[in-house]
Amino acid sequence: IFKDDEVGRELTVRFPDGREYHGVATVYDGDHDLALVALRGAADLPVARVAAAAPAVGDDVAIVGQPGTRTPDGEPTGYQPWHVSVGEIRGYRPGARTGEQHLGRTKHDAWTYWGHSGSPLFDRAGAIVALHNSWDSTTAMRHAVTWEAIVAFLRDAGVATR
């Protein structure tokens, strides 16, 4: 959704309960497919913590996301506004887990739709273990930005994870 030069981009952030907030991108890392958005006028929002450790292969995950209303070609999707599914961590793509994340290095099988990119994958304790960002049309495997990349990004941005 962001381009490398889009720090400062303004957008609307919607929550499942219907609340909407104006936001602005404050930090962006295109290699890791991660961004931070500051919300204006938001207070007392629920917080999901980042897990204390990376998930292991076989760990259960749940994903909560907002599927897109249109396909890349502009056709209506007909998807419901919010979607929850469960699955498990299936493995990791080769290479450094903090390496580029355009095709996320965490493999998972929780069902996603077009538009789920950026949706958190939660462990059984409700902590974030990865962020969904893509799927492979040849294998139907879903991919997510690794826990290690998320933690490094937040650390570099000066955001505490504990």
Side-chain angles (χ1 to χ4, degrees):
I1 145 173
F2 294 102
K3 304 279 190 257
D4 287 334
D5 60 351
E6 292 200 66
V7 167
R9 179 179 173 187
E10 297 183 8
L11 59 149
T12 300
V13 177
R14 291 179 185 88
F15 286 81
D17 65 4
R19 288 181 292 171
E20 293 185 356
Y21 295 98
H22 181 79
V24 62
T26 59
V27 181
Y28 174 77
D29 183 332
D31 289 335
H32 294 100
D33 200 19
L34 293 168
L36 291 177
V37 175
L39 302 180
R40 294 190 184 133
D44 300 322
L45 295 176
V47 175
R49 299 278 179 212
V50 175
V57 174
D59 282 358
D60 293 330
V61 292
I63 185 170
V64 179
Q66 184 177 22
T69 58
R70 302 226 173 252
T71 69
D73 296 328
E75 298 296 319
T77 61
Y79 299 148
Q80 295 298 310
W82 293 93
H83 178 79
V84 178
S85 67
V86 296
E88 66 181 49
I89 300 298
R90 292 294 186 163
Y92 292 93
R93 286 184 44 237
R97 290 193 191 175
T98 54
E100 67 82 21
Q101 301 283 323
H102 295 290
L103 179 61
R105 293 188 179 278
T106 304
K107 296 178 183 182
H108 70 91
D109 63 6
W111 190 256
T112 59
Y113 293 100
W114 172 257
H116 264 102
S117 295
S119 297
L121 274 73
F122 298 99
D123 64 14
R124 285 182 166 267
I128 297 170
V129 295
L131 294 172
H132 174 77
N133 73 339
S134 61
W135 67 282
D136 183 339
S137 61
T138 60
T139 65
M141 185 63 64
R142 272 61 180 160
H143 298 270
V145 175
T146 63
W147 175 88
E148 292 88 349
I150 295 166
V151 170
F153 170 77
L154 293 173
R155 182 194 62 234
D156 292 348
V159 176
T161 58
R162 299 282 165 255

